[in-house]
Each structure stands twice: as structure tokens, then as C-alpha cells.
């Protein structure tokens, strides 16, 4: 029994923390919000130099050949400082899928650049007025000779304006789903969308007869559902750690403030209304951390059903918990917590950002139920879902 | 039990309704309710609205007739707010002046103070703010450190106030300052001053909120000057003045509650219209369940308010139960706003012009975090209810 | 604006409270649990002497001719002492239905006896392995000459062993629902059912070719759904007040204990964990009280849609709140609260008893939604109720 | 990270599993797990079970071999509880003796005490109880008033203990009594005695719980007698002995957690089978949602426990984080039990032989209220976590 990050992982964490402290923690996000994205670019380069972008890339593609658990400290540290960007989508979605399903050409094209910090990939899934249900995908691809031609609209694409390539979820002619790698191009029509979490850039991409070489198909035709399902496991394990990082910082902020802020001649942390609230936050944090560690661990060690149960439960729990914690943190800070000046709101907005990202808590709970074999009885599926007493 | 309103009250409502239809700013009733973005224009607009109210006889309805009021009953005041919420009238820039400072001066101001201030409050000529909270005295208001020292015939005031609404627009401030530094109990030795904001010793700095708005200010006082004539009540007895002043706010959180009622109706209407994947959100049983439970709590809060109002009508003044109203409304407002965020799915993160339903829901959500903090945090309300309504033992330091 | 009980109502409350204090408050329930039902009978007679059983019975039937709001203080006071019995079913279901739909013969037969405290009526609705859905009723009635013959089983019938008559929900030959008044009879097969709230008696009644005179039909044939819907409004308004009475007592118990119990040299009510919990209990209590007052008031003053909204919301809120309050009360009392000796558990069990009585919180919320016109879109009703992302 | 268990541990598990299959009371494995209703028979049954364990070498696995133990590692102890929960073995009547008193005496008892007590603990010959709580010293244990006064060579003990599990069956009691009445701090001046329960000065009275069971006792002490030889550690230093004793419970709430795990699986199985109106309850999306959220919390609690265990393995003793485990498990147990009540609808009020699924759910529900009180209330756990894990300021009176 050894359920903890190992010494190497903890040491790497301490390098990252030192570096992110040095660059001012949330200062990067704050500059980003003001429109100064420079600092963010500098920090991403710095992190790449530390090796953060090479961790889970195979050694033959110039990476470190490490695994999902080794990404945990990176995500946690990024979560602590509300870092902008699509490191998550790149490392915990694009990389595992490229590694497993990419052609040698694709690997060579993307992985070494990612490892060196020169490429970041985003995910184009959601379409206007839809949710994440895959049966709703309308964005279409057709084969024309040696090219694939895409038509459709994707919205809320993270870092649509920064990403070096997009994994685009498309419907092919025989009604299956597939994934296409689309490289960034100035001709691509991107409309920025204003996000409540201003440390995130979102954009709507319109593909109008957009042609890419056939070699940009990721995996085989009609394999989209499987690839997404697999990618989503990696992404949500990583996301859970991102959320845990945010939670940890928020608990730390609340604890520190409760120790120094005095009212009625007492540090407010002496009042049980504050103390016990912070304790409940801590409970949520530790619960989320254990679930997220385990989720990443299953990706290295367990079968798909175990992975699903572990990842979905971590994702669902951490998503809700982070919103709760970030909200309480504002209340504990009182008036000052309501200002733009203090970081509290950055965490709240980021927590909300992830609430429904790639599916809601409800979706993941339902997926969890399926993964655990809590089957719905098929025969009764068509019965009226809601019955009401009194014959109404 | 009797929820009906009297003929006289009904007539009052009709008169107000008719007047509002004729006198609201142009286009307002048709839904064009934009306030000027520019701060100066904004102030001019709101002062003008206060003046319009005044000229119509609605400037300060609960005041005595001799001061321009109409000696409205508590029920009429309630009706006034119901109607204001109904037409979503512009905010009252001089709320502090009309509901707190004016009545206090009418009751216990000197003749000179009445002469100098009261008419300008009701006309909107002078806007008032409130100088209470300080960086180290929020929940613990009695801990204020802003000092007033007598030099010659001047009181020199030094310190910092915070969370001063409309501070940057205000002409006058009802300010609490410490005039005795070592009192036996810290709420003693505080004096209430009527401070002129338009002087070099007063500097205001807007606070940017987490929703990006600036509605509050820090007020820095550096040898700001007041005179004996600007003291309300007695020297060192400002705490008592402040308590009496609060009792003048006899409609309690009525306006917030009516706003919540409107917000709830708007929410239901928005949800009825909202579809995701072509599926009406109102079809989702869990949404209906949640709405039903909000309905019960919001109706319960409103009915509680009416029950407390009944006892205010009997006793002549509001009791500590008003903390129950405040706690219920603020917590519910926050929770409802959070639900409305969740309901919009990932697309709910889109903001301002990109918001999927109406950006007001995103703005409301962020703003709602101030509700359980401002005007006494929920923790302080719980202490008040525990100690003053239930008779539980006093907390540490109180 | 006058939202409070009037002086007469408050005075009547004080008589009741004095009387119930005199007979030992929960002592009646405790004796009842031990099997000594005598004391309960004595107290019911005492309450009848005070006029409690005559309140809403018309003057021509020897009652006081008062209304639903006048019952409020009685229910609250009964709730405070966890009184056993079916006063609720009698006064807030049988009486209003008999008054409005009963024949002159039925009124004469039941109402004066109820007013005098000589008759109590119960409600036989639920059937084995069913919930309260009316489409599930199988208990059947057929006409044979001048008699009605009933076949079927009803369970969880309150006071099956005490009640002087039952209003039985039955399905008639043309598939409609009707209500039949069945008088108690030693021949009737009643099997007692053990209730977790031991201050309640429940029983399963088996009707095997059970004949009653035709005159025992309440209302007309097929009118059962309407009658139930109307009766349920009265019953739930009254029930809400019963629950409020229990809540009030529970808040009082918690407050008193928090003032006298000392730990760490402090009365425990000084600790915010306790103080704020009691405050939240008080908040729930006052909310429930306002809703319940208003619910009863609408029965006298408003139209059916307003009544439904008011009653359903009061019922749903009070049901959940009482469980919450009764649970917290145990926690606040600590170890002693976990013992049989202290009253805490009586309130908890009673709160649970009413949780699903005549419908769950979910049912009432759904009914509320309908009453407020939050219509489900009919066209989409047959769509799959639950969609899951990722095409699963 | 490594969740695998070693070959040695796996062998341990297999050995235990085989032994249990052969030695559990007759019919136990087949599901006939009735304990005798009669109190005397009940005690005989459980003492016999303890003796069976002892004879099989499983009586006190973590003890040194010389005292009949097998010097089990912490992981082996965990495995022991996992297996006990798996087969739903009879309760351990001498838990206090084996996990607290025994190890404490082995570590710091006198030779005489070791000689006199230790073997009888492991064999089940002498059952131990714990004399800690008093009517006025529950959460505030240091406030105990039971006094021990020296008269000649006897200590005369007077006072009242409460919540003594197995008190009516116990032969011996590990008792805290005040030997110094005016200490500087109230947790000083307390001494730990090994008290003989079979004497006229000791009277036990069962407490009936809200679920109708009697598992705890009041213990009345009237000139109960102990001798110097019965003192553990030093006079007036009993608090320290008690703290050290608690550290011997190194598996923390492991057993409760494994029980919760089993309870969750049972709950899912029961729900899968349960229908209302012919409709499977598992089809209800809100039930699935609730179960999923319980799953996450229960798995989170279990994994937290393993994370804390990892640090116990590193540090050699459990830290204050064990309060996190206790708080999580007790609150979750209570909430799950409440959910299972709600799930059964109105019919869920039927009890005992009339219960719709299994009366265990009703019993569990009522019993669960003790979980967040006994062994330190949730409020006390939160204080411990706040102060000792997070470093927040100490509470009043602590």
C-alpha cells in the first residue's frame, strides 16, 4: 500500500511551484485578462524548459516517456495559479490519442513540437445550440480526392485564437463520427466569444468548405466515438487534478485569511462558522485529491471499466466541490473577497468554467452508473419517466 | 388573517401607477431601460429622476407633509416599492438621504440642520452616502478607528471608510467617527457627523467588484473638516443615533424581496423559453423540482416578511426578526443565481453580448456574492437571530 | 395587511397548550407506544370537551362553523406533543368532504358524532406494492341490488384498529374511482402493521366481498379523483400545521438545551456550530409556519389554483424541513439525544412518518409545477428522458 | 503509487479466509447470523468467538508473539478487518481490551499487571470496557468529575460514567478518575485505573437507544475500590496514558469504512431488486444520480483512508488526519441511511417483520444518528481538523 505521489513527482512539483511563485502566481492570468498574453507565452516556455510539456510523450518522440500520474503535480500547480491555456487539452487528450492512434507521420509532426513546448492542441466539439451529445454533431466531413472537406460550426473552442491545431469532431458521410486534425491557419474564420472566466479565450470556428489533407484523419473512419471516450478519460483525470490544485489554493487562502483577519477582537478562524466551513472545504479537497490521484493511477494500471468508474467519479465530485469551495472562500473573505483585487473571484470563475466542460456532473454521474452496471431496465425505459399521484 | 388592501391603499397604488406611466424616463416602460454609461451623466440622470419623483409628490413619501412628504403609512411604503419593482424604475440615488438621514434629522436634528439639509435631500440636489465600514471594521462595526479631533472650532477627521455606495457621487456623508479613544466599551465614544464630501480632505476611490462594476468606494479622510453644528445627537453617542436611524428603514428588505419575486418570475419565463438540443429545459423533472423548491422558499420568505410586517404594524417598529428576512433573501438570491448559471450548461460561460439567454443572469450571479456579505454578513445575521430572537448566549467579543 | 392568527385563535391555542401540558405533553404518545391507549382516549375526549373536534363542522350539524385557519392552532399544538391518532384525517379530510359532498343522511350520521368527539374517520388508499398513484388502485366495488360490494386490500391504513369509519378509495365497474364510507365492524379483517413511528397504529384491511349499503357512497360515482384532490388540499394544509407544531417544539428543545448544557466551560449555544444550526432550524420553522398559515388561509379565501400552489408548497417544504430539524435536534443533544428517554427520537420518527404520507415531496413539487403552469411540452414528452453525452 | 499487496500479505489473507471458513460459528457463512437474544447467552457466544479466534492464532494479531499475538503489520491488520467485514463475522466483544488496554499494558504496564490481565484479554476470559464519558463530560472529556480518593491502601472511586459499551458484560474497566481536584488545567490530575467491575461499588444500568437496542450503559460508582497496583502509568498523568492508548488503535476507522463499503454494495443490490408499482427504482434518474454521488464520496473516503494509512506506515503512528476519516464516514453513513429510508416511500415506515425490503435499513437509519455523536461528535472532529490539521485558532475553552 503506497497511495501518495513519489519523491520524484513531489520534487518536480516543488520546482514548478517555485517557478510559478517566481512569476507571480496568478499574475499571469491577470495580465492575460488585461489582454497582455505575452507573460503567458513566456511562462509556458518556462514550463516547457522545466519539462512539463514532455512528460507523457514517448521517448522516441523526444518526450520523457512518463505517465498520467506524473502529470498530476503539473496540473495541480497550474490549477493553483489559474493558468490560462490548453495544456490540459494538449497533454491529456491530444497526446494520448496521438500516441495510441496517430500515424507515424502524425506523431512526428506533432509530438516532438509539443514536447518542446512549440505546439498546443485544442478541441473543437460543441456546436451552436447543442450540448455535448454526440448524436447532435452536424459538422460534416467529405472526402474529395486527397483532401477532406469540412463544413460546419464549432463554438466555445478553447484558445481558438492561440491553438496550433484543433482536434475536430465531425460526422462523415456514412453517419459515423471521426476526428480530424486541423492545423491553425489565418484563413480560418474564428469569432472570439466572451467568457465569464476572462482568463480563458473561447472562439467560434466556422468551417466553410475547409480542406485538409487526408493524412489529418486521426484514427480510422467512424472511430470517433471510441477515441473521444478514451480521450475523455485522460482529459477528465487531468482536469480533476487541475481542479484539486485550485481547491488547494482556495483552502489555503481561506485558512490564511481566517488566521490573520480579526473581528470582535478574535481572528475570525476562531469562530466556528468560519472554522467549520473551512474544515468542510478541506474535507472536500482531500476527498477530491484522493479521487483524482486514483483516477490517474487507473489510467496506468487498470482496465477500462475501472478507469471509467474512477475518472467519472473524480470528475463529478471535483467539479461540484470546486464551485462550492470557491464560493465559500469569497464569503469567508467578506467584502474584500467580493472585489476584483483579491484572487477569490478568479477561482470561482474558473470553477464555473469547468462545471459543464465536456459534460455536466449529471452526465458523468449517469456514465458512472452505466460503468458500474447499475443498469436501467430496458423494458421499462419507455414507460412514462415521471408519474404523478392523484391521477394528474 | 387579511391580505386584502384597503380602498385607500388601492387608490394610492392606482395614483402611483398612473403617475409612473406618465413620468418614467422616456422609453422606460417600453423596455428601454439603459442607464448612462458615463459616470457624470449617470449621476445627472438619477438626480433628475429623484427630482421628478419630488415634483410629483413621490420624493420621500413617508416624510411629514411640511417637509414635502405625504406621511405615507407603512403599507403605502410597501406598495411604493412593489410598484417601483414592477416597472423596474431607475435606482434611487438618494436612498440613504431619504430613508435614513432625512427622517433622523426630522426627528432629532437641530433647526439649523433641518433648514440646511432636508429640502435638498428630497429634491435630489444633495446626494448622501453613509460612512460606516472600515477596512478593519466590517462585521465588527463598533471597531471603527476613523478619528475626529477638535482643533479650534473644527473637527479634523482622519481615517478610511470603505464600501461607501454612491460615495463618488455623493455631496454629503453620514459618518461615524471615534471622538473618544479609550471608551469602556468600544461602541461608545463614537459620534455621528454630517460631513461635506466636497472638500479637499475627502478623497474617494472606486472599488472594482468581481463582476467588473464599480458601485462602492473607499473614502480617504485626511483632516476632513466638520463643525459642532454637523454633529447629530450628542457627542460620543453616535452609536445610539445609528441604531435609531436604522429603525427608520421600516420597510426592511422589502425592495430586495420584491426584486427577488420579479427575478423568480423572470427565471421561470426564461426557462420556459429555453431549449437545449431542441429539448425544452422545463421538461427536465429535476429542473421542475428545483424550481418548485425555490418557489416554496421564496414564497416562504415573502410571507415571513408579511408576518414580520404585521408585527411591525402592531409594535410601531421592526424587531430583530428582520434579520430572518435579510438572511433568507440574500442566501436564496445567491442560490437561485447559481442555479440559473448551472442551467445554461457550458454555454452559460458566455458573457455579455455572447450570453445564451440574457447576460443579466451571469451578472446577477457574480453580483449575488455581495448579497450575503453587504449589510451584515450571513454569519452576523445568524448571530443576531440566535442571540436576539432565540435568546442563545452571546458570541465571543460581543 | 394582517398575517397572523387572531386573538381568538391564539387564545384557543393557549387553552389547548395548557391542557396538553397538564396531561404531560408527549406522555400520551409514550403510553400509547407502551400499549396503554387509554390515556390517548382520555385526552381525545378532553380535547373534544374544549371544542377541538367541533371547529370546522357546520353549526347545523352541531359544530362551531369555523374554518381551516381556526384548525391551525389545534394542529400545531397536537404536533408539539406528537399526539397519536387520526384527528387530521377526520377534521381535514372527512369533514370538508362530508360537508360539501355528503348526503343529508351522511352528514347527520357522522358530523354530530365527530363534533362531539365520538367518531374518528380514517383513510384507506394505499394498496400492497403500489404507491399513491391513482391509476394503480385495484380495490374494486360492484353494485348488487341495494348494496355495494368491495373486494381488495388496503394497507398502511392509519388507526385501522381504532377508526370508527374509513373512507375507502375504490375502482368501480366502469373503471372510474369512487369513495365509499365503510363503518368499522369487528368482522372486518385487519392485520396490524408495525410502524417505525410506534406512536402510530397502522393496519392492512382485507375486503372480501364486503357489503355496505348503497347510501355509503360519498359523492357521486366516478367522482373519486375530484374528491381526493379536494380532500388532499385540506389534509395537507392541516398536515403542514401539524409539522410546524413539531418543528416549533424541536427548535424550543434545541434552544433550551443549548442554553443549559455546558461543555468546555461554555453553554454549547455559544459555539457557532450549535448556535447557527439552531438559527437555520428557526429559519426553516418560520418559513414553514408562514407557508402553512397561508395554505390554510387560501382554503377559505382563494380559488383552486391558488390553493394548490399554496398547499403543495407548504406541504413539500414542511415535510423536508421537519426531518432536517428533528435530525439536527438529536445531534445538538449529543449522546442523550440518541436515547429513548429524551423526546428527540419521537419527533424524528413522526417526521419520517409524514415524509411520503399521501405522496412524496417529489410528487408535491411536480403537482406544484403543474398548478403554476410550468407546463411540460407535450410534443417532447416521449423523447428519451435522459440523454447522455458521448453517444452512450 | 502502489495498491497491490505483497505476497506475504496475500498469504495472510488466504490463511485467514480459510481459517474463517472452517471456524466461523455454525451456519454463519450460509447467512444464518443470528446472535442470541438473551443477554447472558449473547455474552457467552461472543466470549466463545473471541476464544475461538485466540485458539486459531487470531485473537490479537498485532500483539507480540510472546503474548499470543502474531506481530501483524498494519497492512495485515487492515486485511484482518476487510475479511471480518466480508464474512460479517460476529462483533468483537473485547475490542477495548485487545486494541487499547492490552497494547497499553504491554507497552507500559507493570509486570504484575501484565501477568494479571493480558492473557485473559486475548482468550476472552475477561472482557474490558472503557470508563471515559460522564453526564457532564462528553465532548469535553477533560471535565470528568468521577473522583478517586485514597483511604488507607484503597482508592475509593465515586461518580458516574456513561456510554460504556458492553459495560454490563464487562469484567474490567479502563477508567479515568480525578485524583487531583484543583489542577491548573483540567486535563491534569486525572489518573487511569484498571477497575474490577465485579464488585458491589459498581452498578451498571443499560441505556435504551432510540432504535430500541441497549448497547451502552451507565456505570454508577459508589466507593468502588481500586489499589495502587491498578494505576496505569503515573498518578495524575492519566490523560497522557489515554492519548498513548488511542495511538494503539492504528487502523483508525478502517472497520467502519469497510462496513460502509459493504453497506453501499448491499444498498445498490437492494435497489436493483426493488420495484414500486412494477417500476424498477434503479430506473429513476434521480436515484442513479444520488447513488453516483454517494459512490464518489464513499470511494473518496476510502481512498483518503488509504492515503492517511500510507502516511501512518511512513510515520509509524496515525496523525490528526484520522479525524477526517471519522467525520467523513460517520456523516456519509447517516446520509446514506436516510436516503435508503426515503427510497422506500411511505411503506418504508413499516418496521421489523413488516419492513418492505429488509428491516436492517430501518435499524441502520436509527442507529446512524449515534455515528456522528459517539467517539467524538462531528463538531469536535471539525475542531480537531481545524486546529490540528489546518492550524486555525483554538476554540473557546480549549
Amino acid at each position: 500500500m503506497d497511495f501518495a505521489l513519489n519523491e520524484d513527482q513531489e520534487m518536480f512539483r516543488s520546482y514548478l511551484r517555485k517557478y510559478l511563485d517566481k512569476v507571480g502566481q496568478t499574475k499571469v492570468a491577470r495580465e492575460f485578462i488585461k489582454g497582455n498574453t505575452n507573460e503567458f507565452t513566456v511562462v509556458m516556455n518556462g514550463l516547457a524548459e522545466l519539462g512539463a510539456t514532455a512528460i507523457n510523450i514517448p521517448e522516441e518522440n523526444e518526450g520523457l516517456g512518463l505517465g498520467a500520474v506524473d502529470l498530476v503535480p503539473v496540473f495541480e500547480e497550474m490549477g493553483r495559479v489559474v493558468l490560462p491555456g490548453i495544456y490540459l487539452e494538449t497533454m491529456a487528450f491530444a497526446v494520448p490519442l496521438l500516441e495510441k492512434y496517430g500515424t507515424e507521420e502524425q506523431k512526428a509532426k506533432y509530438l516532438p513540437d509539443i514536447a518542446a513546448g512549440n505546439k498546443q492542441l485544442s478541441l473543437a466539439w460543441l456546436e451552436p445550440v447543442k450540448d455535448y451529445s454526440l448524436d447532435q454533431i452536424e459538422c460534416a466531413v467529405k472526402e474529395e480526392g486527397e483532401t477532406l472537406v469540412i463544413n460546419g460550426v464549432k463554438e466555445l473552442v478553447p484558445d481558438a485564437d492561440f491553438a496550433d491545431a484543433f482536434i475536430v469532431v465531425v460526422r462523415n458521410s456514412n453517419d459515423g463520427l471521426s476526428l480530424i486534425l486541423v492545423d491553425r491557419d489565418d484563413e480560418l474564420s474564428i469569432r472570439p466569444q466572451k467568457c465569464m472566466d476572462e482568463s480563458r479565450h473561447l472562439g467560434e470556428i466556422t468551417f466553410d468548405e475547409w480542406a485538409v489533407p487526408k493524412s489529418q484523419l486521426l484514427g480510422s473512419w467512424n472511430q470517433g466515438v471510441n477515441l473521444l471516450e478514451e480521450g475523455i478519460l485522460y482529459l477528465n483525470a487531468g482536469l480533476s487534478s487541475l481542479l484539486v490544485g485550485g481547491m488547494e489554493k482556495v483552502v489555503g487562502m481561506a485558512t490564511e485569511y481566517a488566521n490573520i483577519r480579526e473581528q470582535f477582537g478574535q481572528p475570525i478562524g476562531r469562530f466556528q462558522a468560519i472554522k467549520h466551513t473551512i474544515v468542510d472545504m478541506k474535507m472536500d479537497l482531500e476527498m477530491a485529491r484522493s479521487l483524482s490521484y486514483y483516477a490517474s493511477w487507473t489510467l496506468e494500471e487498470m482496465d477500462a471499466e475501472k478507469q471509467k468508474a474512477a475518472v467519472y467519479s473524480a470528475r463529478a465530485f471535483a467539479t461540484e466541490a470546486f464551485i462550492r469551495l470557491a464560493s465559500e472562500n469569497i464569503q469567508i473573505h467578506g467584502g474584500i473577497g467580493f472585489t476584483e483585487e483579491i484572487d477569490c473571484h478568479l477561482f470561482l470563475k474558473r470553477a464555473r468554467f469547468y462545471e459543464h466542460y465536456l459534460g455536466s456532473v449529471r452526465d458523468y454521474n449517469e456514465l458512472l452508473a452505466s460503468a458500474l452496471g447499475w443498469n436501467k431496465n430496458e423494458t421499462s425505459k419507455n414507460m412514462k419517466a415521471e408519474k404523478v399521484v392523484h391521477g394528474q | 388573517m387579511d391580505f386584502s388592501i384597503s380602498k385607500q391603499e388601492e387608490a394610492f397604488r392606482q395614483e402611483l401607477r398612473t403617475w409612473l406611466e406618465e413620468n418614467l424616463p422616456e422609453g422606460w416602460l417600453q423596455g428601454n431601460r439603459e442607464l448612462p454609461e458615463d459616470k457624470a451623466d449617470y449621476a445627472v440622470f438619477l438626480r433628475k429622476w429623484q427630482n421628478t419623483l419630488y415634483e410629483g409628490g413621490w420624493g420621500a413619501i413617508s416624510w411629514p407633509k411640511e417637509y414635502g412628504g405625504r406621511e405615507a403609512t407603512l403599507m403605502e411604503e410597501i406598495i411604493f416599492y412593489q410598484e417601483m419593482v414592477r416597472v423596474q424604475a431607475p435606482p434611487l440615488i438618494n436612498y440613504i438621504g431619504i430613508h435614513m438621514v432625512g427622517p433622523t434629522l426630522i426627528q432629532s436634528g437641530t433647526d439649523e440642520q433641518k433648514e440646511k439639509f432636508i429640502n435638498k435631500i428630497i429634491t435630489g440636489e444633495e446626494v448622501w452616502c453613509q460612512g460606516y465600514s472600515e477596512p478593519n471594521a466590517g462585521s465588527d462595526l463598533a471597531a471603527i478607528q476613523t478619528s475626529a479631533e477638535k482643533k479650534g472650532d473644527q473637527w479634523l477627521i482622519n481615517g478610511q471608510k470603505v464600501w461607501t455606495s454612491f460615495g463618488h457621487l455623493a455631496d454629503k456623508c453620514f459618518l461615524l467617527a471615534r471622538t473618544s479613544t479609550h471608551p469602556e466599551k468600544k461602541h461608545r465614544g463614537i459620534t455621528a457627523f454630517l460631513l461635506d464630501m466636497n472638500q479637499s480632505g475627502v478623497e474617494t476611490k472606486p472599488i472594482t467588484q468581481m463582476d467588473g462594476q464599480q458601485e462602492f468606494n473607499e473614502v480617504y479622510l485626511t483632516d476632513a473638516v466638520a463643525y459642532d453644528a454637523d454633529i447629530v445627537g450628542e457627542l460620543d453617542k453616535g452609536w445610539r443615533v445609528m441604531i435609531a436611524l436604522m429603525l427608520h428603514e421600516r420597510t426592511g428588505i422589502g425592495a430586495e424581496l420584491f426584486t427577488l419575486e420579479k427575478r423568480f418570475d423572470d427565471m421561470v419565463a426564461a426557462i420556459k423559453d429555453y431549449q437545449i438540443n431542441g429539448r425544452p429545459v422545463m421538461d427536465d423533472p429535476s429542473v421542475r423540482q428545483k424550481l418548485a423548491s425555490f418557489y416554496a422558499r421564496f414564497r416562504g420568505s415573502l410571507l415571513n416578511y408579511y408576518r414580520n410586517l404585521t408585527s411591525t404594524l402592531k409594535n410601531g417598529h421592526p424587531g430583530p426578526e428582520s434579520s430572518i428576512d435579510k438572511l433568507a433573501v440574500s442566501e436564496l438570491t445567491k442560490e437561485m443565481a447559481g442555479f440559473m448559471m448551472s442551467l445554461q450548461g457550458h454555454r452559460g460561460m458566455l458573457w455579455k453580448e455572447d450570453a445564451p439567454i440574457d447576460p443579466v443572469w451571469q451578472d446577477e450571479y457574480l453580483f449575488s456574492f455581495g448579497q450575503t456579505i453587504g449589510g451584515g454578513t450571513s454569519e452576523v445575521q445568524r448571530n443576531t437571530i440566535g442571540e436576539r430572537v432565540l435568546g442563545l448566549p452571546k458570541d465571543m467579543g460581543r
Side-chain angles (χ1 to χ4, degrees), chain A residues 85-276:
Chain A
I86 48 173
Y87 179 85
L88 174 69
E89 289 76 1
T90 305
M91 306 308 285
F93 187 84
V95 167
L97 290 187
L98 279 166
E99 186 185 341
K100 190 156 170 196
Y101 299 99
T103 60
E104 286 312 310
E105 187 195 337
Q106 287 169 347
K107 289 183 191 175
K109 179 173 171 188
Y110 293 105
L111 293 179
D113 269 351
I114 292 173
N118 297 331
K119 271 207 171 122
Q120 300 256 307
L121 274 69
S122 186
L123 178 55
W125 180 332
L126 204 61
E127 300 182 8
V129 210
K130 310 275 174 56
D131 63 14
Y132 285 101
S133 310
L134 286 177
D135 57 354
Q136 298 289 320
I137 298 288
E138 288 182 7
C139 188
V141 66
K142 54 190 174 187
E143 292 183 69
E144 289 188 358
E146 282 313 294
T147 63
L148 303 173
V149 180
I150 307 174
N151 279 290
V153 182
K154 294 289 183 182
E155 67 163 5
L156 287 99
V157 178
D159 278 12
D161 50 347
F162 279 110
D164 299 287
F166 304 93
I167 296 180
V168 186
V169 185
V170 293
R171 187 168 298 282
N172 38 268
S173 42
N174 57 355
D175 213 30
L177 293 184
S178 300
L179 304 187
I180 312 281
L181 288 154
V182 177
D183 291 328
R184 100 162 281 92
D185 187 309
D186 290 345
E187 302 288 300
L188 207 51
S189 154
I190 298 175
R191 182 176 70 82
Q193 296 181 292
K194 192 157 182 57
C195 184
M196 198 177 88
D197 174 2
E198 295 173 282
S199 68
R200 304 304 306 251
H201 279 193
L202 296 177
E204 182 187 80
I205 308 182
T206 304
F207 297 99
D208 181 11
E209 292 288 317
W210 191 262
V212 298
K214 247 182 149 167
S215 58
Q216 292 296 94
L217 174 70
L218 180 59
S220 19
W221 287 113
N222 301 321
Q223 214 186 354
V225 172
N226 294 341
L227 263 66
L228 283 172
E229 191 176 299
E230 198 169 335
I232 278 296
L233 284 177
Y234 282 89
L235 192 140
N236 279 310
L239 175 52
S240 301
S241 292
L242 258 184
L243 300 173
V244 166
M247 279 187 243
E248 187 188 67
K249 180 66 187 178
V250 155
V251 172
M253 285 175 76
T255 305
E256 193 187 333
Y257 192 72
N259 269 318
I260 56 170
R261 168 74 173 173
E262 293 197 1
Q263 291 284 276
F264 305 104
Q266 312 288 338
I268 60 171
R270 206 170 169 220
F271 295 101
Q272 288 186 341
I274 303 295
K275 181 188 287 183
H276 289 196

Side-chain angles (χ1 to χ4, degrees), chain B residues 3 10 75 93 97 144 209 233 253 267 290 309 311 343 392:
Chain B
F3 282 89
E10 186 53 39
M75 272 313 295
I93 193 173
I144 58 163
Q209 298 152 211
I253 50 106
M267 181 167 81
K290 195 76 195 166
L309 203 62
S311 97
L343 192 88
L392 288 165

Side-chain angles (χ1 to χ4, degrees), chain A residues 61-82:
Chain A
N61 298 116
E62 297 167 36
L64 297 170
L66 297 169
V69 176
D70 300 292
L71 285 170
V72 166
V74 192
F75 286 125
E76 286 192 5
E77 294 307 307
M78 288 183 169
R80 278 177 67 90
V81 302
V82 202

Side-chain angles (χ1 to χ4, degrees), chain A residues 41-57:
Chain A
T41 312
V42 169
V43 166
M44 284 312 296
N45 289 337
L47 290 170
E49 269 172 42
L50 284 169
T53 52
I55 291 174
N56 58 333
I57 291 178

Side-chain angles (χ1 to χ4, degrees), chain B residues 189-368:
Chain B
I190 290 172
T191 299
F193 289 95
L194 304 170
L195 184 76
D196 191 358
M197 294 289 281
N198 301 313
Q199 58 172 304
S200 61
V202 178
E203 201 186 338
T204 65
K205 205 182 122 194
I207 299 171
T208 305
Q209 298 152 211
M210 59 185 272
D211 60 353
Q213 301 297 307
Q214 297 181 336
E215 298 172 34
F216 303 99
N217 293 268
E218 294 174 321
V219 178
Y220 293 90
L221 303 154
T222 316
D223 283 345
V225 176
Y227 299 89
D228 281 344
D230 299 325
I231 290 175
V232 191
E234 291 174 53
L235 187 69
D236 285 349
K237 301 273 169 67
W239 193 259
R240 195 179 294 172
V241 176
M242 185 199 68
I243 299 288
L245 178 141
M246 276 174 12
L247 292 178
H248 288 296
E249 244 199 323
R250 44 179 200 167
T251 56
I253 50 106
E256 282 93 329
L257 202 38
F258 304 139
T259 304
L260 178 65
E261 182 174 27
K262 173 132 191 35
R263 190 61 65 205
F264 182 82
D265 292 342
D266 290 349
M267 181 167 81
V268 170
I271 293 175
K272 276 184 169 175
D273 276 349
Y274 192 48
Q275 304 203 344
I276 294 178
N277 280 353
R279 189 161 37 121
V281 171
M282 193 56 110
D283 276 9
D284 181 338
S286 75
V287 170
R288 295 158 67 85
Q289 288 290 321
K290 195 76 195 166
L291 280 182
S293 115
F294 281 137
Y295 177 83
R297 287 168 62 196
F298 132 72
R299 287 289 305 171
S301 305
L302 189 65
L303 291 166
N304 257 347
Y305 175 74
Y306 287 137
R307 208 145 53 82
N308 291 338
L309 203 62
T310 301
S311 97
T312 304
L313 284 164
K314 278 178 193 155
N315 305 331
H317 59 83
E321 288 78 10
S322 59
S323 282
I324 292 182
D325 298 331
K326 155 76 163 102
L327 180 58
V329 172
S330 58
E331 292 290 340
L332 189 53
T333 298
K334 194 160 128 183
E335 229 182 289
M336 266 171 45
F339 168 71
M340 201 57 196
M341 278 302 295
S342 290
L343 192 88
Q344 297 172 70
H346 191 45
R347 200 164 282 106
M349 284 309 290
L350 295 180
W351 207 21
K352 312 264 180 192
E353 61 275 15
D354 291 318
I357 298 182
D358 183 328
V360 73
W361 298 112
Q362 278 71 17
D363 291 340
E364 280 285 319
Y365 173 64
L366 294 176
F367 187 72
S368 74

Side-chain angles (χ1 to χ4, degrees), chain A residues 1-6 9 69 72 251 254-256 258-259 267-272 274-280 282-283 285-287 289-291 293-294 297 301 309-310 313-314 316-317 320 361-366 368-370 372-381 383-387:
Chain A
M1 170 63 56
D2 175 17
F3 187 34
L5 295 182
N6 65 29
Q9 289 155 349
V69 176
V72 166
V251 172
T255 305
E256 193 187 333
N259 269 318
I268 60 171
R270 206 170 169 220
F271 295 101
Q272 288 186 341
I274 303 295
K275 181 188 287 183
H276 289 196
T277 300
I278 300 177
V279 167
D280 287 341
K282 172 76 170 171
M283 296 290 292
L285 163 63
E286 294 307 326
M287 204 82 95
R289 196 199 300 271
S290 291
L291 288 167
Y293 279 13
Y294 187 72
W297 182 77
E301 302 287 341
S313 57
F317 183 86
E320 283 194 330
V361 169
R362 210 148 71 133
D363 295 333
Y364 283 105
N365 277 341
E366 192 56 45
L368 175 68
S370 300
L372 292 171
W374 304 342
N375 294 317
K376 289 201 203 186
N377 185 324
E378 286 301 319
T379 59
S380 64
K381 219 174 194 169
M383 293 179 64
K384 262 189 290 174
E386 278 303 291
K387 282 223 187 117

